[in-house]
């Protein structure tokens, strides 16, 4: 036990009781494992940030729009693994901390919805909900079940069946929670689409039509005025969630025109409400590159960011 260090005693292996973990070559193995742990952890964190993309039209399945949230979630997952393997002498504190960390990851998955793909968010949230079920069972057993119950011959079987038959409903519950979480976004999307259609009709009156604007290479949204009055957006995250509606392509992989116009409407309305916001400027830059194929305008937006 590592607690023996406080009494100046050696630390002996639990299975091989005659082997001191702080003696050579075990000490060298421990140091090497610690160094590799730091390298692997750092590389994993860098890779998790690397998959983040502020391009709302990215085709990457696991792309995330929020690097900070993705970083926090991975830190929590790494902490769960470390606690599960290194805090056995303080079992109650161990399982409570693990429960709190899994809850934190579940919170960020459900509230922030960091991935662009709806089904990707459902899968990750569902899997984390399954972990939450197991952690809650472990905490409940640790603090409520008497030792004589644990010693019952059918105890292990019952607990195994509980996890086996409970994990699937838990995963489905997490996925359903994402669907419910998206309800306010869908409602706001419907509201803004109505405004967009009304604005498009107004812009076509007394000016060029929407079709003529497309033929001329300009945007229908560019014909609309006073975009600042469209909606008072809460933050960039809300804008990012709404912009995911433009993620539609035809059979040739070309962005859908109607969806792209609505996405541009959302971006420009948000930029009118939050001018010179770096995240919005970068998102609009990617939109210009991916949809409008306008490198010069994209370069200008990137310089402003």
């Amino acid at each position: 036990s590592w607690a023996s260090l406080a009494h100046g005693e050696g630390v002996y292996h639990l299975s091989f009781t005659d082997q001191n973990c702080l003696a050579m070559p075990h000490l060298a193995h421990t140091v090497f494992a610690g160094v590799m742990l730091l390298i692997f952890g750092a590389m994993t964190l860098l890779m998790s940030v690397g998959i983040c993309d502020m391009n709302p039209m990215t085709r990457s399945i696991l792309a995330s729009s929020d690097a900070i949230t993705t970083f926090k979630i991975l830190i929590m997952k790494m902490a769960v693994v470390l606690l599960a393997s290194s805090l056995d002498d303080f079992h109650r504190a161990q399982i409570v901390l693990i429960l709190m960390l899994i809850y934190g990851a579940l919170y960020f998955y459900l509230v922030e919805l960091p991935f662009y793909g709806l089904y990707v968010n459902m899968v990750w949230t569902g899997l984390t909900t399954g972990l939450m079920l197991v952690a809650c069972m472990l905490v409940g057993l640790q603090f409520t079940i008497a030792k004589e119950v644990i010693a019952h011959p059918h105890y292990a079987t019952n607990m195994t069946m509980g996890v086996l038959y409970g994990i699937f409903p838990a995963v489905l519950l997490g996925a359903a929670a994402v669907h419910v979480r998206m309800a306010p976004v869908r409602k706001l999307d419907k509201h803004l689409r109505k405004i967009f259609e009304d604005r498009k009709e107004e812009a076509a009156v007394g000016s060029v039509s929407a079709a003529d604007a497309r033929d001329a290479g300009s945007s229908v949204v560019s014909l609309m005025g006073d975009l600042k009055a469209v909606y008072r957006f809460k933050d960039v995250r809300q804008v990012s969630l709404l912009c995911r509606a433009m993620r539609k392509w035809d059979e040739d992989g070309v962005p859908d025109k109607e969806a792209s116009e609505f996405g541009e409407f959302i971006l420009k309305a948000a930029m009118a409400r939050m001018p010179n916001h770096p995240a919005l400027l970068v998102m609009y830059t990617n939109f210009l590159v991916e949809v409008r194929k306008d490198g010069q305008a994209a370069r200008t937006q990137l310089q402003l960011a």
Side-chain angles (χ1 to χ4, degrees):
S1 173
W2 292 101
S4 301
L5 286 176
H7 306 288
E9 302 175 1
V11 180
Y12 291 92
H13 198 278
L14 294 176
S15 301
F16 308 97
T17 55
D18 60 332
Q19 297 295 321
N20 189 345
C21 295
L22 297 182
M24 295 296 290
H26 308 304
L27 182 59
H29 296 164
T30 303
V31 173
F32 180 77
V35 172
M36 293 306 300
L37 172 65
L38 294 176
I39 295 176
F40 179 80
M43 292 300 102
T44 305
L45 290 173
L46 291 175
M47 290 178 64
S48 70
V49 175
I51 65 173
C52 297
D53 195 343
M54 296 192 69
N55 177 12
M57 298 299 291
T58 179
R59 302 298 293 268
S60 176
I61 297 177
L62 293 177
S64 170
S65 62
D66 191 343
I68 296 178
T69 299
T70 305
F71 189 86
K72 290 178 180 178
I73 292 174
L74 186 56
I75 285 289
M76 292 178 181
K77 291 180 178 179
M78 294 173 65
V80 168
V81 175
L82 291 174
L83 289 173
S85 58
S86 62
L87 207 62
D88 292 336
D89 289 338
F90 308 95
H91 190 56
R92 289 197 170 188
Q94 179 189 51
I95 60 177
V96 170
L97 289 174
I98 288 176
L99 176 64
M100 293 172 62
L101 289 168
I102 294 176
Y103 173 79
L106 179 61
Y107 172 83
F108 283 118
Y109 274 134
L110 186 58
V111 174
E112 301 294 337
L113 300 174
F115 299 100
Y116 282 107
L118 174 61
Y119 295 111
V120 178
N121 285 303
M122 285 183 170
V123 169
W124 278 110
T125 305
L127 293 176
T128 309
T129 307
L131 289 176
M132 190 71 179
L133 168 68
V134 177
C136 288
M137 290 180 64
L138 183 59
V139 171
L141 293 173
Q142 180 66 34
F143 286 94
T144 61
I145 303 299
K147 292 183 179 181
E148 57 270 16
V149 177
I150 297 178
H152 194 278
H154 297 296
Y155 168 78
T157 302
N158 293 336
M159 291 300 99
T160 302
M161 290 298 105
V163 173
L164 178 61
Y165 292 110
I167 196 73
F168 296 105
V171 171
L172 293 177
L173 179 62
V178 173
H179 181 76
V180 175
R181 164 68 180 85
M182 286 296 294
V185 180
R186 291 193 295 269
K187 182 178 180 181
L188 180 56
D189 179 274
K190 184 178 180 181
H191 172 70
L192 292 175
R193 282 184 186 276
K194 185 178 184 303
I195 297 177
F196 171 65
E197 295 297 333
D198 294 341
R199 289 294 188 95
K200 188 162 63 172
E201 292 179 2
E202 294 175 1
V205 176
S207 182
V208 295
S209 65
D212 293 336
R214 293 195 194 99
D215 295 338
S218 59
S219 168
V220 176
V221 182
S222 64
L223 305 176
M224 303 178 185
D226 193 21
L227 291 176
K228 185 177 181 180
V230 170
Y231 184 76
R232 186 184 296 274
F233 296 95
K234 295 180 180 179
D235 49 29
V236 176
R237 181 173 60 86
Q238 185 183 43
V239 178
S240 177
L241 291 175
L242 291 167
C243 284
R244 296 175 188 181
M246 77 171 78
R247 295 175 53 80
K248 294 181 180 180
W249 297 268
D250 60 19
E251 59 274 8
D252 298 322
V254 178
D256 181 79
K257 290 184 178 180
E258 293 294 332
S260 298
E261 287 178 352
F262 178 67
E264 184 180 11
F265 173 72
I266 296 296
L267 281 173
K268 286 192 172 181
M271 292 168 65
R273 176 63 64 175
M274 295 176 282
N276 299 324
H277 195 291
L280 292 176
L281 291 172
V282 173
M283 290 172 62
Y284 187 55
T285 297
N286 286 300
F287 173 84
L288 292 173
V289 172
E290 295 287 339
V291 179
R292 300 300 177 203
K293 311 299 182 184
D294 191 343
Q296 183 175 357
R299 191 179 303 110
T300 301
Q301 295 296 322
L302 192 58
Q303 290 174 346
L304 292 174

